[in-house]
Amino acid sequence: MAPWSLPLSSLLKHTDCLQRANIFCNVVQGLHHHYHPVRSRLWKRNFRAVSQGVGQLLSHEPRAGKCAASVCSSSLDGQNTTERLWSVYDETKRQTGDLISVITANSVDPDTIFANNEMSLRDIEIYGFDYDYTLAFYSSHLHTLIFNIARDILVTNHRYPEGLRKYEYIPSFAVRGLHYDVQKALLMKIDAFHYIQLGTVYRGLHPVPDEEVIAMYEGCHVPLEIMSDFYGKSSHGHTMKQFMDIFSLPEMTLLSCVNDFFMRHNIDYEPVHLYKDVKEAIRDVHVKGIMYRAVEADIEKYICYGEQSHAVLKKLSAQGKKMFLITNSPFDFVDRGMNFIVGKDWRDLFDVVIVQADKPSFFNDRRKPFRRVTDKGVLLWDRIHRLEKGQIYKQGNLYEFLRLTGWRGSKVLYFGDHIYSDLADLTLKHGWRTGAIIPELRKEIKIMNTPEYVHMMTWLQSLTGLIEQMQVHRDPTSRAVVEEWIKEREAMKPQTKDIFNAQFGSLFRTYHNPTYFSRRLSRFADIYMASISCLLNYDFQHTFFPRRTPLQHEASYWPEHGSAGLGASSPAPQDQSRV
């Protein structure tokens, strides 16, 4: 009995440890009047402990591996071995279930700012902003508008079949960060290690069988030479395009719908031409001003969250912080939106306003000078010797911006929603601090906080740990039991995807690995959050700490999990008594 009681005792020790952690958290909560981010920290700490799986629980004692292996050479008959394996399984499941209520009660706050890199707001003197999906947040009507206009452009201007007009925008189809194989006309999700997540490859509106995907790519790995370029584009021999922009959701859906139409009607077509035509149609929606005019005509239908952005700008202004705006959108569109969000005096809040900047080339191309724009949109020809408050400037480049303002290095924090176009060059080449706005965070965190998700992920991680430890048994009877567990684990994987999005799953994870999107986010953004309004929860002395996640070769220490939760939640001092 000893070999089998050891893992269970380790599990019990772990449960006892979590109970003590819960007591500790209750004390802290009492000190802080039940401040919500403290509960968030406990959730992370508990879930982190559980996510280590039963693997670490079973190997808590140095002798655990030897004890598990000893069963292989024991004199137990097959039936007895099977019963004992299932006994460990049942006890693991029971004890995992006991943790559910603790984890569920300590949810993650969607208004948290999360840190990839340590950063203190006390060091930030200048705040910069993108406009679209940073200061201005749009309703779902905008994606429908973009889809419909681009679809009609394909039919009218590119002579695509009239039958395409029957397709409507599908809001729940795609997620940001997907890759599109231009030559194969396949939309898919790729993880941080360039592996395709099977079950997320779509041709048109229908999934491609895993066997076909493996045959096409000779496995699941996508070689570096055919991945998208630095900015996610399919250029210079790269056959993959990565869709990182929130505006790209209707583009992905339109690509899939057109592919679907051609396949349904057995029309022979060239995927490269289709991709380029859809890309051009989407571009026309923006460049020709069609979308801008539609939004300006019904601003209340398309823009939301205005009052929160206004509150952030007022708070920064009251603290004497300098602010600037760099956007690719035209002045009339920005002016109409900012009048709605802030008021007619919105320009008084900004020290510099730059429109039609043409990011990301704005950050790299030194050739384009700034040009002043009048309130009526007239372009002036005079040379710009300084960037003045209250004036509007077009194009330009970052090098000239740095020369004229002197705003360099880590005292500048710039916010944007596009990981590549807004943030990558700033952090890699210029040393600015960067903040990513990820609106999808709010929805995903709410799903993560549900009892269904907590129960599923806690048991999945525990089951994985159980398989990891019990795979040492090589006798047929034990192998048969472990194979049953592996089948159960494999059956759970699609559930972890479908709970976020039935086609492509979470923006941030494949079944277990981070997505390629997550990898780029962690590299190019010092901090990230669901919306700019999250800044309202923090004072200007606050320091954001990333979690110290143990490397694979490092031991996991409970005290580190405690400090990790502290960094991940980043509670605002002034808010510690508000809940």
Side-chain angles (χ1 to χ4, degrees):
M1 294 292 292
W4 295 99
S5 61
L6 181 60
L8 301 185
S9 65
S10 297
L11 282 166
L12 291 170
K13 287 179 182 177
H14 177 68
T15 304
D16 180 59
C17 176
L18 286 179
Q19 289 172 346
R20 290 198 301 271
N22 193 29
I23 293 171
F24 170 77
C25 181
N26 289 337
V27 173
V28 175
Q29 286 177 327
L31 291 173
H32 296 302
H33 306 283
H34 303 288
Y35 169 55
H36 187 64
V38 174
R39 300 201 302 274
S40 175
R41 292 200 296 277
L42 179 61
W43 186 92
K44 294 182 183 69
R45 184 161 58 243
N46 287 350
F47 189 79
R48 174 66 183 171
V50 172
S51 70
Q52 297 300 315
V54 181
Q56 288 191 3
L57 304 182
L58 301 182
S59 61
H60 183 72
E61 300 286 344
R63 300 186 298 112
K66 295 180 180 178
C67 292
S70 69
V71 178
C72 299
S73 59
S74 70
S75 59
L76 296 172
D77 58 32
Q79 181 178 358
N80 205 10
T81 301
T82 301
E83 290 176 356
R84 292 188 181 283
L85 282 169
W86 284 110
S87 175
V88 172
Y89 171 95
D90 292 337
E91 181 63 16
T92 302
K93 197 164 193 175
R94 184 191 67 78
Q95 294 189 14
T96 300
D98 290 343
L99 300 175
I100 301 301
S101 59
V102 177
I103 298 172
T104 304
N106 297 282
S107 57
V108 179
D109 186 351
D111 291 320
T112 297
I113 293 179
F114 302 93
N116 291 321
N117 190 22
E118 185 173 328
M119 189 192 77
S120 178
L121 290 181
R122 73 168 62 91
D123 299 327
I124 307 300
E125 301 174 9
I126 304 109
Y127 287 78
F129 302 91
D130 182 29
Y131 175 70
D132 297 303
Y133 286 105
T134 300
L135 293 177
F137 282 81
Y138 298 101
S139 69
S140 59
H141 298 296
L142 184 61
H143 289 168
T144 301
L145 174 73
I146 294 171
F147 178 92
N148 290 343
I149 296 173
R151 178 201 60 202
D152 293 345
I153 288 175
L154 285 178
V155 175
T156 304
N157 298 357
H158 296 272
R159 305 174 73 117
Y160 275 62
E162 280 287 335
L164 283 175
R165 295 188 192 272
K166 296 180 180 179
Y167 283 86
E168 301 290 339
Y169 179 61
I170 310 170
S172 60
F173 178 69
V175 299
R176 197 156 48 126
L178 300 179
H179 279 79
Y180 184 76
D181 191 320
V182 176
Q183 294 181 344
K184 294 182 174 67
L186 298 176
L187 188 64
M188 67 190 75
K189 188 163 76 171
I190 296 177
D191 73 11
F193 301 96
H194 295 195
Y195 280 89
I196 300 167
Q197 181 182 357
L198 294 177
T200 68
V201 181
Y202 274 70
R203 181 184 290 115
L205 298 174
H206 301 281
V208 179
D210 294 346
E211 298 78 10
E212 186 177 342
V213 174
I214 294 171
M216 281 190 289
Y217 291 95
E218 298 181 348
C220 296
H221 185 262
V222 179
L224 179 62
E225 59 266 20
I226 70 170
M227 287 289 286
S228 53
D229 68 8
F230 183 79
Y231 295 106
K233 297 179 181 179
S234 58
S235 58
H236 307 296
H238 301 281
T239 62
M240 290 280 191
K241 154 76 177 179
Q242 188 181 19
F243 292 100
M244 296 291 277
D245 193 353
I246 301 176
F247 280 126
S248 66
L249 291 171
E251 182 176 358
M252 285 185 277
T253 307
L254 183 57
L255 271 170
S256 299
C257 288
V258 178
N259 276 309
D260 181 75
F261 179 87
F262 285 159
M263 289 187 297
R264 282 180 179 273
H265 293 83
N266 296 315
I267 299 174
D268 188 25
Y269 68 101
E270 172 54 59
V272 175
H273 298 332
L274 186 153
Y275 167 74
K276 290 182 178 179
D277 289 344
V278 170
K279 178 182 176 182
E280 184 177 334
I282 291 288
R283 185 193 63 195
D284 286 350
V285 174
H286 295 270
V287 173
K288 293 185 177 180
I290 304 171
M291 182 196 77
Y292 300 134
R293 290 190 293 272
V295 173
E296 291 177 43
D298 197 351
I299 200 86
E300 293 185 5
K301 177 180 179 180
Y302 294 106
I303 292 185
C304 49
Y305 296 168
E307 68 282 356
Q308 296 175 340
S309 296
H310 187 193
V312 171
L313 296 175
K314 286 182 63 178
K315 181 179 179 179
L316 291 171
S317 178
Q319 292 292 322
K321 303 295 182 181
K322 294 186 179 299
M323 290 183 283
F324 64 92
L325 177 67
I326 302 178
T327 175
N328 286 349
S329 294
F331 171 67
D332 288 344
F333 180 70
V334 174
D335 185 51
R336 182 76 174 88
M338 290 300 289
N339 281 337
F340 176 74
I341 295 170
V342 176
K344 292 184 178 181
D345 60 346
W346 68 270
R347 277 190 277 173
D348 295 340
L349 295 171
F350 292 93
D351 294 272
V352 178
V353 176
I354 301 168
V355 299
Q356 291 177 282
D358 193 26
K359 296 178 290 184
S361 64
F362 177 87
F363 300 125
N364 297 290
D365 190 346
R366 299 171 181 260
R367 296 171 297 177
K368 294 180 180 179
F370 285 109
R371 193 165 189 178
R372 195 152 59 90
V373 184
T374 68
D375 290 350
K376 296 183 178 180
V378 177
L379 295 173
L380 304 181
W381 47 261
D382 54 319
R383 184 188 295 272
I384 303 300
H385 294 284
R386 62 181 180 274
L387 299 176
E388 299 178 359
K389 187 171 184 175
Q391 299 298 321
I392 304 297
Y393 300 92
K394 178 183 177 181
Q395 293 182 344
N397 65 83
L398 185 64
Y399 297 94
E400 190 70 2
F401 179 88
L402 297 176
R403 186 184 70 81
L404 294 173
T405 64
W407 296 344
R408 300 176 182 273
S410 58
K411 66 181 180 181
V412 184
L413 172 59
Y414 184 78
F415 293 95
D417 66 287
H418 198 301
I419 308 298
Y420 297 145
S421 296
D422 289 326
L423 309 180
D425 289 311
L426 292 178
T427 188
L428 291 177
K429 299 179 181 180
H430 303 286
W432 284 10
R433 309 312 293 265
T434 52
I437 305 301
I438 314 292
E440 299 93 336
L441 257 180
R442 199 174 301 280
K443 176 184 175 182
E444 293 218 2
I445 289 175
K446 288 180 179 178
I447 292 172
M448 288 167 52
N449 287 339
T450 61
E452 177 188 1
Y453 179 83
V454 172
H455 184 278
M456 177 174 58
M457 289 305 303
T458 306
W459 172 237
L460 179 62
Q461 292 301 90
S462 296
L463 181 61
T464 301
L466 195 60
I467 293 169
E468 181 181 10
Q469 289 299 308
M470 295 307 176
Q471 66 181 337
V472 298
H473 302 302
R474 302 303 180 191
D475 60 285
T477 303
S478 299
R479 289 302 306 161
V481 175
V482 174
E483 284 297 326
E484 286 295 316
W485 298 348
I486 293 173
K487 289 178 182 178
E488 180 182 354
R489 180 175 181 268
E490 290 300 311
M492 291 180 67
K493 281 184 177 181
Q495 300 173 32
T496 66
K497 173 180 73 73
D498 294 347
I499 197 170
F500 292 102
N501 175 280
Q503 292 74 234
F504 302 101
S506 168
L507 174 64
F508 303 96
R509 278 200 181 274
T510 57
Y511 293 129
H512 49 276
N513 286 338
T515 59
Y516 194 85
F517 177 92
S518 291
R519 176 185 178 184
R520 309 306 266 179
L521 173 65
S522 64
R523 179 64 185 89
F524 299 139
D526 291 297
I527 57 176
Y528 64 99
M529 65 209 76
S531 74
I532 203 72
S533 65
C534 296
L535 278 172
L536 297 173
N537 300 322
Y538 301 84
D539 65 25
F540 293 102
Q541 300 299 311
H542 192 86
T543 298
F544 299 99
F545 296 97
R547 279 193 282 175
R548 181 183 171 89
T549 304
L551 302 175
Q552 294 300 310
H553 66 278
E554 293 180 326
S556 298
Y557 300 104
W558 186 86
E560 282 195 357
H561 295 156
S563 59
L566 217 80
S569 292
S570 292
Q574 77 273 22
D575 288 341
Q576 289 184 355
S577 61
R578 69 185 175 96
V579 178

